[in-house]
Amino acid sequence: MTLVILAAGMGSRYGGLKQIDPVTSEGEFIIDFSVYDAIVSGFDRVVFVIKRENLDIFRETIGKRFENKIKVEYAFQEMDNLPEGFTVPEGRKKPWGTGQAILSCKGIVNEPFMVINADDYYGREAFKIMNGHLSGLDANSTEHAMVGYILENTMSKAGSVSRGVCEVKDGYLESMRENTKIYYEGSKVITELDGEKKELTGKEWVSMNLFGFSQKAFETFHVYWDDFVANNITSEKAEALLPAAASQIVTDGKGKIKFYSSPEKWFGMTYPEDREIVKQEIAAKIAGGYYPEILWEKQ
């Protein structure tokens, strides 16, 4: 079973390559705990989607840690990998987003696979849930899956976040809309959508980019990406987003997305201030025996 980790983002809000920012005294990263949970849950292969220029640092600081535990491969998100007839606009510096990143895996991943963000902590139960779902699929199944989290458990006190807010019916995703600016205003949870401020309950289900797909999903991903480029090619900042691409599978009638939820708490490093919270959460799990004090043998 394959785990795809999206790690090509530049981390502009965080101010650095946050995917390789240690969160334990042993120098472990959030990625380490995701890979550990994947191995424990039955995954035997991990594919990192990265920028080509980061290959050496990723391989040296991350890949080599567990190459003897799980098969490690790399796919590259290229800014100039655009549909025919289009070129990168002048001034564009950042990658095109997770909606393009996922296409980097086509041809490398040829079976049902799980996908997550590099800088998010999801909890082991989510990996077990997704392994169970994917193990029953064939490569061209139209039954995909996701694990959702409660919005208020995914917020940052340091600033706004982007979340795909989900509507769920009879255990399946009905719709998912990306809210690119959700934040606290006092004790209220606010979203700015279509030029208006709206209060949310905080109990909404949201996507944290944890999905399980068969190969059939790539058909819709290509359609989404082609449309995105046609409408946004002149933008310096617009991002194609995986939740939007996944949602299109449902809205276009190309398949279903089974909606699962995890009892564990998500946490991540959107802003520098989040790092201490992540360190405390991980430390508590180690102290409680959820993780060993040292994940991997020293090389």
Side-chain angles (χ1 to χ4, degrees), residues 131-145:
N131 183 287
H133 181 92
L134 295 176
S135 61
L137 299 185
D138 63 42
N140 289 312
S141 172
T142 58
E143 173 105 354
H144 312 286

Side-chain angles (χ1 to χ4, degrees), residues 139-167:
N140 289 312
S141 172
T142 58
E143 173 105 354
H144 312 286
M146 68 177 291
V147 176
Y149 292 78
I150 297 172
L151 173 59
E152 65 183 5
N153 290 338
T154 74
M155 299 282 288
S156 173
K157 295 290 186 180
S160 66
V161 297
S162 178
R163 300 286 182 260
V165 179
C166 304
E167 296 292 334

Side-chain angles (χ1 to χ4, degrees), residues 49 75-78 81 100-108 218:
V49 178
F76 303 110
Q77 183 176 8
E78 310 279 8
N81 187 8
Q100 185 211 24
I102 196 67
L103 289 171
S104 306
C105 300
K106 189 174 182 182
I108 297 174
F218 283 115

Side-chain angles (χ1 to χ4, degrees), residues 67-213:
E67 285 177 345
N68 63 338
K69 301 290 186 182
I70 189 171
K71 186 176 182 180
V72 179
E73 297 181 48
Y74 300 90
F76 303 110
Q77 183 176 8
E78 310 279 8
M79 192 180 297
D80 59 356
N81 187 8
L82 297 168
E84 186 175 352
F86 294 95
T87 58
V88 178
E90 185 177 352
R92 180 86 192 191
K93 303 293 184 183
K94 66 186 302 183
W96 289 101
T98 53
Q100 185 211 24
I102 196 67
L103 289 171
S104 306
C105 300
K106 189 174 182 182
I108 297 174
V109 178
N110 297 303
E111 65 282 333
F113 62 96
M114 177 179 175
V115 57
I116 63 171
N117 290 338
D119 49 2
D120 292 340
Y121 176 90
Y122 296 96
R124 191 173 304 154
E125 186 64 24
F127 291 85
K128 291 180 178 179
I129 289 170
M130 197 57 69
N131 183 287
H133 181 92
L134 295 176
S135 61
L137 299 185
D138 63 42
N140 289 312
S141 172
T142 58
E143 173 105 354
H144 312 286
M146 68 177 291
V147 176
Y149 292 78
I150 297 172
L151 173 59
E152 65 183 5
N153 290 338
T154 74
M155 299 282 288
S156 173
K157 295 290 186 180
S160 66
V161 297
S162 178
R163 300 286 182 260
V165 179
C166 304
E167 296 292 334
V168 181
K169 183 178 180 181
D170 298 329
Y172 285 86
L173 180 72
E174 192 170 51
S175 66
M176 178 165 47
R177 187 174 186 186
E178 194 70 19
N179 287 222
T180 58
K181 192 174 184 180
I182 303 178
Y183 55 92
Y184 283 111
E185 194 172 83
S187 61
K188 296 180 179 179
V189 178
I190 303 296
T191 182
E192 294 186 15
L193 200 60
D194 298 330
E196 297 183 0
K197 290 176 64 174
K198 178 183 176 182
E199 184 176 354
L200 300 175
T201 67
K203 303 297 183 183
E204 291 83 1
W205 289 112
V206 295
S207 161
M208 299 307 302
N209 265 17
L210 195 165
F211 293 99
F213 297 114

Side-chain angles (χ1 to χ4, degrees), residues 49-65:
V49 178
I50 62 174
K51 296 171 68 175
R52 190 177 295 273
E53 57 264 38
N54 290 339
L55 174 59
D56 289 342
I57 192 170
F58 258 83
R59 178 177 285 154
E60 290 300 316
T61 59
I62 297 176
K64 285 189 175 180
R65 294 172 182 251

